[in-house]
Amino acid sequence: MSLLRPATSEVVKQDLIEYCCEVYQMDHNGLHGYAHWMRVLHNGRLLAKAEGANIKVVELFCLLHDTHRQNENIDPKHGYRAAQFTKTLKGVWFDADDEEMELLEEALAYHSDGYTEGNITVQVCWDADRLDLGRVGIKPIPSRLCTPTAKSANVLAAAYQRSVTILKVGKETI
């Protein structure tokens, strides 16, 4: 996993990452596992900085958004389950005020519903995930993204290249 190990932060600590990996019940070599989380984290950090979003909420979203998927295909309740799970982590794995928790729960619960309107932090979370659609052969479309930064040609191209390159390299890098 060393190729995909993120820089740690006040929120992203190695023990939290490892705990999320333990909780995840599917194959990390699949479409929604660890490598995807790390690419979403990369995207989220870039977007949060450019858009002035709450970095704590964004980083937590990136780690937690797919932790409660039950399959690789259609799982419309996985975001809601992740939002509920997040409540059990507050005060144990991270600290967050009520507003941050509301934003995090909203971002998690609705991240795969296709919404584009919301608080800038929630929008950054959604875009961070959507920018990694190349892993499933989908090129992100600017009209389905929320933020000006995510819609920019340079960001779109770089994110798509990262997701496709990891997909082509395969399981050996994970």
Side-chain angles (χ1 to χ4, degrees):
M1 285 194 211
S2 62
L3 291 175
L4 301 171
R5 182 167 287 187
T8 57
S9 70
E10 289 185 30
V11 174
V12 176
K13 297 178 182 170
Q14 193 60 39
D15 57 347
L16 175 58
I17 295 168
E18 290 172 11
Y19 181 69
C20 289
C21 287
E22 289 172 20
V23 168
Y24 188 66
Q25 296 297 303
M26 297 189 339
D27 182 358
H28 275 288
N29 293 324
L31 297 172
H32 296 95
Y34 179 81
H36 167 60
W37 303 349
M38 294 303 103
R39 290 189 304 272
V40 173
L41 180 61
H42 178 89
N43 296 339
R45 285 175 169 167
L46 179 134
L47 296 175
K49 183 176 181 180
E51 298 291 341
N54 182 313
I55 190 67
K56 180 191 299 184
V57 172
V58 172
E59 287 187 348
L60 287 168
F61 169 85
C62 295
L63 288 178
L64 298 166
H65 75 285
D66 281 340
T67 56
H68 281 71
R69 286 194 73 89
Q70 294 178 342
N71 64 65
E72 292 285 10
N73 301 310
I74 297 171
D75 185 357
K77 298 284 187 188
H78 79 278
Y80 174 77
R81 288 190 301 272
Q84 296 306 304
F85 172 65
T86 299
K87 293 176 185 178
T88 70
L89 303 178
K90 180 183 174 187
V92 178
W93 291 97
F94 64 87
D95 292 316
D97 62 32
D98 290 344
E99 180 181 354
E100 289 170 330
M101 285 302 291
E102 285 179 30
L103 292 172
L104 180 56
E105 290 172 30
E106 178 183 352
L108 290 167
Y110 302 110
H111 79 271
S112 59
D113 291 350
Y115 298 136
T116 56
E117 299 293 322
N119 176 285
I120 191 64
T121 296
V122 173
Q123 291 180 340
V124 163
C125 292
W126 294 342
D127 281 355
D129 186 34
R130 292 173 188 166
L131 285 173
D132 197 47
L133 286 171
R135 76 190 191 286
V136 295
I138 298 171
K139 203 167 201 172
I141 301 168
S143 64
R144 296 202 175 180
L145 297 169
C146 307
T147 63
T149 304
K151 293 177 184 183
S152 73
N154 291 342
V155 170
L156 274 167
Y160 184 73
Q161 188 61 45
R162 268 191 310 278
S163 64
V164 172
T165 300
I166 297 297
L167 182 64
K168 287 180 185 174
V169 172
K171 296 177 184 173
E172 294 80 34
T173 62
I174 297 175

